[in-house]
Structures are given as structure tokens and as C-alpha cells.
Amino acid sequence: MRRIFVLAAATLAAVGVLAPAPSAGAAEPYCGITWGSLDKTASGGGGGLITNLRAGQNECWDRLVFDLNAPGGAGYSVRYVPVVTEDGSGNPVPLAGGAFLQIAVVAHDFDPNTGVPTYQPADRYHAVNVTGFQTFRQVFYQGSFEGVTTAGLGVRARLPFRVFLLAGPGNGSRLVIDVAHRWS
């Protein structure tokens, strides 16, 4: 008799009538985020100019955006580091937060032909006001050196992040860095 019940249960499970209960430990990813916190890099682009740096908030992440005048975007490297350092001197940059992203964008922040700045924050240690953001704590803007512009982002903790390029507006593009508010 027991064999009949086992055979019936196996048959019902095979056709999808009986399904195992979901594991108690299997939770849905936070806001569907599956990004991780490892280095993000892309080659290519370059030759463009940074025209603005801004930040915004989403219900699931905080966003940092580099506006570029190049339609193809720019190469980049974004990674967590123990401390953000200044180009040339290697001096540590004091940043608020429990974790730090070092950002390198293959683009100038000045016109190489004229030397005229295309982006220059009033305060490079607080390049963007992120007061009240859930994840961002401080944005440091280093500037350009040998065709690469660097910045530092202090965040609440080492959290998942993603980096991608968007076309527009107009003939420009945007380098976007999203950092999640929390892990899954």
C-alpha cells in the first residue's frame, strides 16, 4: 500500500501537480538586484569630455551620473578600495562612509585644445550634495590626469553596484553608477 502512495506522489510531482515547498531560506533578491560588488570595467570610448556630475535617488539604489559630450560613452573602471587616493601623490582622500568606490573615467574634464574646463565643481571634496541619501555619503572629484578623470564615492557599506552607459541627451551619453541600498 505504501508503494502505491509513493508511486502516486512521484507521478503527481512529475506532472507538476505536487511541487516542493519553497525553501525557507530562499528569499527573492532585494528589488531584483543581482549585481554583486566586484570590479566593473569597460574599455573603449574616450575622447569625450565630462560636462556634469550629478546624483539621484531611487527606492532601491542611489545613482551617480557623469554626463559626457561623446555619443559612444567612455571606458571606465569602478571598484571598491580600502582608501581612495589622489592621482600623482597617492595621498589618501578622507571620505565619509564605511566603504569606498574609486572611479576612473576615460574622458577629460577640460578641452584639450584650449585648456578650458568643461566641468569643475565648486568643492571637489563635496562635488555633489548627497545629504539625506540612503547609501551615498560623500562624492570626491579628483579631476583629469593624462586623459583619465577620477572620483571617489563614499558609501554606507560595501554594497552591490552596477555601472552602465546610456545614450543621450542629444549627441552625448551618460556613465551611470548605481549602488544598492542593501544586499538581498
Side-chain angles (χ1 to χ4, degrees), residues 80-160:
Y80 278 105
V81 294
V83 63
V84 171
T85 58
E86 290 185 356
D87 290 336
S89 71
N91 291 333
V93 175
L95 281 176
F100 313 104
L101 284 168
Q102 181 101 35
I103 303 162
V105 184
V106 183
H108 291 284
D109 64 357
F110 63 91
D111 183 324
N113 297 318
T114 65
V116 174
T118 56
Y119 175 72
Q120 192 171 31
D123 176 359
R124 67 186 192 121
Y125 285 92
H126 300 92
V128 179
N129 183 359
V130 293
T131 303
F133 279 51
Q134 191 167 337
T135 298
F136 290 176
R137 295 296 181 258
Q138 184 180 354
V139 180
F140 167 75
Y141 187 80
Q142 170 71 42
S144 294
F145 179 71
E146 295 184 352
V148 177
T149 298
T150 56
L153 178 60
V155 296
R156 182 174 50 79
R158 185 177 177 131
L159 294 162

Side-chain angles (χ1 to χ4, degrees), residues 26-45:
E28 290 295 316
Y30 170 68
C31 293
I33 293 172
T34 57
W35 306 333
S37 65
L38 297 179
D39 301 1
K40 314 291 193 280
T41 61
S43 58

Side-chain angles (χ1 to χ4, degrees), residues 15 62 64 120 167 179:
V15 296
D62 289 349
L64 186 66
Q120 192 171 31
V179 183

